[in-house]
């Protein structure tokens, strides 16, 4: 590379980034910075306050807030890294801009069924998280010596949350080895855990209590737990981005439940989360019925129908799966 010609790099990740999405983006951003490469993280939307402790977070540009600037950056980029998603529909309007940019697109992801918009990919569904893949990427670049406490903290956060604190089946020996290196590099596991999980607002805590006591339906014959939340309820509890994260998991912690579903009226659309155990293909169910996808046991989808109709359609669609759920 000619010394004064630096590549223009944009890093983006999915809509409403979670800790893996933002952690992988910032981990890569900080690493590239250390390599002398200037990169800019552009997120399609905002994200929860519980992620704002991440090093480098204050440099992130939110597309919804700075559309023109984001569009310019993507159009001018030589390289666009697409992290923790594999279908451009997951980044809303930003997707069209990435598609039409002349930049080379590098996808780093661990979800099923990539759409194929990318020029290069580091992709496997065997990785626990995109943060684990970023570690592999850094290792391949012989850059592990450049990992400092800041990079390590970002990557550790994504691994910790995507594995539900090293509990999910996706947690491999490699995941633990990577996590061990990140701890050696200075990531503080207890602090990261507290920043993410002991950092909820009072409103959010009361909202969870309300959903569990007033909104939870148990569909016994389908071994399914369902929570629907209306737009009015979101408003009543002053729910903001990130507050509903984790709510869907409670249903699956009830004895015998095979499937847990959350339907939330986000006003612009009804958003659904699916979590399953064992054989129920949450991603296939989401794709067939709610224009969604994801992992086998954790998926999401959406609908433009009113929330009552979405709930009804969900219950109808479930009938086909009665045997499988039993
Ligand atoms: P969550 O329920 O936490 O929003 O999402 C769970 C998983 O499903 C994530 O891995 C996410 O990538 C995927 N997912 C969520 N919503 C959608 C969607 O609308 N379309 C697709 N393809 N995947 C989704
Ligand atoms: Mn992920």
């Amino acid at each position: 590379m000619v010394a004064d010609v630096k590549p223009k790099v944009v890093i983006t990740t999915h809509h409403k980034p979670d800790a893996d999405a933002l952690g992988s983006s910032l981990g890569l951003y900080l690493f590239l910075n250390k390599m002398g490469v200037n990169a800019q993280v552009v997120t399609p939307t905002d994200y929860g306050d519980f992620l704002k402790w991440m090093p480098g977070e204050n440099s992130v540009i939110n597309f919804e807030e700075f559309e023109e600037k984001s569009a310019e950056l993507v159009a001018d980029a030589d390289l666009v890294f697409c992290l923790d998603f594999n279908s451009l529909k997951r980044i809303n309007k930003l997707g069209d801009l990435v598609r039409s940019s002349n930049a080379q697109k590098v996808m780093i992801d661990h979800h099923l069924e990539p759409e194929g918009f990318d020029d290069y990919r580091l992709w496997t569904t065997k990785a626990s998280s995109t943060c684990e893949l970023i570690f592999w990427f850094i290792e391949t670049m012989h850059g592990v010596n450049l990992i400092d406490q800041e990079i390590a903290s970002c990557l550790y956060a994504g691994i910790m949350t995507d594995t539900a604190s090293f509990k999910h089946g996706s947690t491999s020996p490699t995941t633990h080895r990577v996590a061990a290196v990140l701890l050696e590099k200075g990531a503080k596991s207890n602090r990261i855990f507290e920043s993410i999980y002991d950092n909820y607002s009072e409103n959010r805590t009361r909202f969870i209590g309300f959903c569990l006591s007033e909104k939870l339906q148990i569909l016994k014959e389908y071994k399914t737990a369902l929570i629907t939340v209306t737009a009015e309820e979101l408003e009543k509890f002053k729910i903001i981005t990130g507050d509903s994260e984790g709510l869907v998991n409670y249903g699956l912690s009830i004895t015998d439940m095979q499937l847990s579903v959350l339907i939330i009226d986000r006003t612009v659309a009804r958003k659904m989360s699916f979590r399953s155990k064992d054989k129920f293909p949450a991603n296939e169910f989401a794709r067939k019925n709610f224009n969604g996808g994801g992992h086998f046991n954790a998926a999401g989808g959406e609908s433009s129908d009113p929330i009552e109709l979405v709930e009804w359609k969900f219950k109808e669609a479930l009938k086909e799966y009665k045997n499988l759920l039993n």
Side-chain angles (χ1 to χ4, degrees):
M1 199 195 312
V2 183
D4 59 348
V5 182
K6 291 206 169 164
K8 294 185 221 102
V9 179
V10 167
I11 300 170
T12 191
T13 188
H14 60 75
H15 161 95
K16 299 287 174 190
D18 57 10
D20 189 35
L22 196 67
S24 58
S25 299
L26 291 173
L28 179 62
Y29 159 79
L30 295 168
F31 172 72
L32 292 177
N33 258 345
K34 277 201 147 178
M35 302 263 295
V37 176
N38 290 322
Q40 175 64 54
V41 178
V42 179
T43 57
T45 65
D46 63 348
Y47 39 83
D49 287 345
F50 63 95
L51 297 177
K52 294 191 174 158
W53 59 270
M54 283 189 177
E57 185 278 328
N58 54 8
S59 69
V60 172
I61 292 184
N62 170 4
F63 172 76
E64 285 180 335
E65 232 178 299
F66 299 101
E67 262 195 47
E68 216 170 293
K69 174 80 182 150
S70 309
E72 218 171 87
L73 283 164
V74 171
D76 287 348
D78 300 304
L79 269 180
V80 176
F81 281 93
C82 297
L83 305 189
D84 203 38
F85 70 94
N86 62 31
S87 153
L88 289 177
K89 147 175 149 262
R90 294 276 291 144
I91 58 171
N92 309 351
K93 266 159 77 186
L94 193 53
D96 292 331
L97 298 172
V98 170
R99 200 186 299 281
S100 58
S101 163
N102 287 325
Q104 297 284 301
K105 288 128 204 158
V106 185
M107 180 191 87
I108 304 183
D109 177 58
H110 66 134
H111 294 90
L112 293 159
E113 295 159 357
E115 168 191 289
F117 66 84
D118 49 304
D119 299 295
Y120 302 96
R121 64 175 65 171
L122 174 52
W123 173 82
T124 169
T125 56
K126 293 206 173 78
S128 68
S129 51
T130 299
C131 282
E132 187 176 323
L133 289 173
I134 294 295
F135 185 91
W136 294 9
F137 176 81
I138 292 175
E139 203 172 35
T140 310
M141 306 274 289
H142 303 287
V144 174
N145 60 321
L146 292 180
I147 297 180
D148 56 15
Q149 185 175 23
E150 296 197 331
I151 298 173
S153 302
C154 293
L155 299 183
Y156 189 91
I159 295 174
M160 184 189 81
T161 53
D162 258 29
T163 58
S165 302
F166 306 93
K167 279 192 310 224
H168 286 163
S170 61
T171 311
S172 68
T174 305
T175 312
H176 281 289
R177 280 188 201 106
V178 171
V181 173
L182 298 176
L183 293 176
E184 282 164 1
K185 297 284 184 183
K188 298 271 178 279
S189 57
N190 54 341
R191 288 237 199 99
I192 294 172
F193 188 93
E194 278 168 24
S195 308
I196 293 181
Y197 292 118
D198 296 339
N199 200 4
Y200 295 124
S201 65
E202 179 182 339
N203 279 338
R204 191 265 182 189
T205 305
R206 294 193 188 281
F207 169 71
I208 298 289
F210 165 74
C211 290
L212 297 180
S213 91
E214 308 298 325
K215 304 301 312 263
L216 176 68
Q217 300 179 51
I218 301 293
L219 314 175
K220 259 205 179 112
E221 67 275 38
Y222 297 104
K223 299 194 171 174
T224 293
L226 169 66
I227 293 174
T228 59
V229 184
T230 65
E232 294 73 39
E233 288 159 351
L234 291 178
E235 201 169 322
K236 181 179 167 203
F237 286 90
K238 300 187 175 63
I239 290 308
I240 56 171
T241 297
D243 278 351
S244 61
E245 191 134 335
L247 176 55
V248 67
N249 298 324
Y250 287 92
L252 214 55
S253 67
I254 301 168
T255 305
D256 274 350
M257 291 297 117
Q258 295 294 311
L259 174 65
S260 177
V261 181
L262 175 67
I263 308 175
I264 287 200
D265 192 345
R266 293 272 182 213
T267 317
V268 280
R270 265 48 62 204
K271 185 76 194 128
M272 316 185 65
S273 287
F274 303 95
R275 299 290 185 274
S276 69
K277 280 193 180 142
D278 304 327
K279 286 177 288 189
F280 184 86
N283 55 342
E284 178 199 297
F285 185 83
R287 189 178 60 241
K288 275 193 186 163
N289 298 290
F290 298 103
N291 194 29
H295 308 279
F296 192 88
N297 292 126
E302 61 181 23
S303 169
S304 54
D305 293 330
I307 193 156
E308 300 78 17
L309 185 57
V310 177
E311 183 175 331
W312 182 82
K313 283 187 176 173
F314 164 69
K315 287 176 177 169
E316 283 300 301
L318 209 52
K319 289 180 178 166
E320 202 187 306
Y321 291 84
K322 191 167 182 178
N323 287 341
L324 193 67
L325 287 162
N326 283 277

